[in-house]
Amino acid sequence: MNSFINRTISGVLMLIVSFICIYCGGYALIGYTMTIAVLCLIELFRTFKLNDILVIVLSMLFSVAILYSIGSSNKDLVLTFFSLYFLSISIYYLFFNKINIENFGKLLFSFIYISIPMGIFLRLGQTNLLWVVFLISWGTDTFAYLFGIIFGKHKLYPSISPKKTVEGSLGGIFGSVILLNIFNFFVLKYNAVFIISFGIILSIVAQLGDLFASKIKREIGIKDFSNIIRGHGGFLDRFDSIIFVTPLVYIIFHIFGGSI
């Protein structure tokens, strides 16, 4: 019961802060996005035991630059910053012997895994589609958790995430699609079939994002990326599904929905 209360309280607080930053937009959203990206990077570096301060600081600075460039739709800056980052850590790997090739790969993975989706996240902040990201991602997570507690019997993927159930997964899809349809009715005004179809796909992808992060934790041998958010773990534990959903929301509504 205490775990449920802690999870609920911290989840509501995160929701309130997120709502305020998205609603205000501008510098509030930029600061929110950059903070989340940096905190997620720190957690991932800590998970991978990447401890070289210079590389960490360099990665965070370039990550912030990349996501701001994506958010402002400046493709030239995106390519420039990514090329400079790759060149910088390549030279560092070549001459200083403080990271091996395995750590080099982990650095690149971490950088791309966090920076690109969070850049698109900032880009979506200029539209109502950022609400879609949250409704799907956190809606799926919340309803999957509730349905799993009440109805969960059959394990979904026990070798990766023992607590997740098929019933919870289906409940997450159902609940998030309902939320998305309500939002669509009042705000987006897309065809209902379009919203339901892609809502189901997005909810499945949100769960894949969660499982992807869970597999990383399982291989490393940790439960959460950190314990900073009571009942949820770390920021990456909270944003793992958002990282997967955000690029797909952009693709779906850009190509099929005619938005952005």
Side-chain angles (χ1 to χ4, degrees):
M1 180 61 71
N2 286 336
S3 175
F4 177 78
I5 293 173
N6 288 336
R7 181 183 176 91
T8 302
I9 292 173
S10 57
V12 169
L13 289 175
M14 278 288 296
L15 190 63
I16 291 172
V17 172
S18 300
F19 177 86
I20 292 173
C21 291
I22 295 171
Y23 181 78
C24 293
Y27 290 116
L29 181 61
I30 292 171
Y32 172 87
T33 307
M34 289 183 175
T35 300
I36 296 298
V38 167
L39 290 171
C40 286
L41 267 181
I42 290 173
E43 289 178 350
L44 205 50
F45 288 157
R46 183 168 166 266
T47 299
F48 290 145
K49 295 181 171 57
L50 299 170
N51 301 316
D52 189 274
I53 297 299
L54 180 59
V55 170
I56 291 173
V57 172
L58 193 68
S59 298
M60 288 191 295
L61 289 175
F62 272 104
S63 177
V64 166
I66 282 279
L67 71 88
Y68 182 78
S69 301
I70 296 173
S72 57
S73 301
N74 194 324
K75 297 177 183 178
D76 291 336
L77 274 183
V78 173
L79 294 174
T80 299
F81 284 129
F82 184 81
S83 299
L84 286 174
Y85 176 70
F86 181 79
L87 182 62
S88 299
I89 63 170
S90 296
I91 292 172
Y92 192 78
Y93 164 73
L94 180 61
F95 290 108
F96 291 94
N97 296 321
K98 293 196 175 181
I99 56 173
N100 56 28
I101 192 63
E102 181 181 350
N103 288 337
F104 184 91
K106 289 176 179 177
L107 277 170
L108 273 183
F109 163 75
S110 302
F111 187 82
I112 294 171
Y113 177 56
I114 301 297
S115 306
I116 304 302
M118 292 310 294
I120 300 172
F121 181 93
L122 185 58
R123 173 73 179 87
L124 291 178
Q126 302 172 31
T127 72
N128 283 320
L129 296 179
L130 192 54
W131 297 109
V132 173
V133 172
F134 277 101
L135 286 172
I136 287 292
S137 300
W138 288 1
T140 297
D141 181 64
T142 300
F143 281 98
Y145 179 72
L146 294 174
F147 272 69
I149 290 177
I150 299 170
F151 304 108
K153 291 182 179 179
H154 304 88
K155 299 298 182 182
L156 179 67
Y157 200 162
S159 63
I160 297 300
S161 188
K163 292 184 178 180
K164 287 183 172 56
T165 63
V166 174
E167 292 80 4
S169 174
L170 294 174
I173 295 171
F174 174 77
S176 62
V177 170
I178 292 295
L179 290 178
L180 183 58
N181 271 275
I182 294 172
F183 184 69
N184 178 63
F185 181 81
F186 288 104
V187 179
L188 297 178
K189 310 295 184 181
Y190 283 100
N191 178 276
V193 175
F194 171 85
I195 288 296
I196 292 171
S197 301
F198 286 113
I200 292 171
I201 293 172
L202 288 168
S203 183
I204 292 172
V205 169
Q207 296 183 55
L208 292 177
D210 195 342
L211 289 171
F212 180 83
S214 295
K215 185 167 185 178
I216 293 175
K217 291 183 286 185
R218 178 69 61 177
E219 289 186 358
I220 300 295
I222 59 174
K223 182 178 182 294
D224 297 311
F225 287 106
S226 76
N227 57 2
I228 194 169
I229 308 175
R230 296 182 66 183
H232 293 273
F235 280 93
L236 189 51
D237 294 288
R238 203 70 189 94
F239 280 80
D240 49 13
S241 57
I242 285 177
I243 286 170
F244 264 48
V245 167
T246 299
L248 191 58
V249 167
Y250 180 87
I251 292 169
I252 286 174
F253 285 91
H254 179 63
I255 295 177
F256 298 100
S259 295
I260 310 176

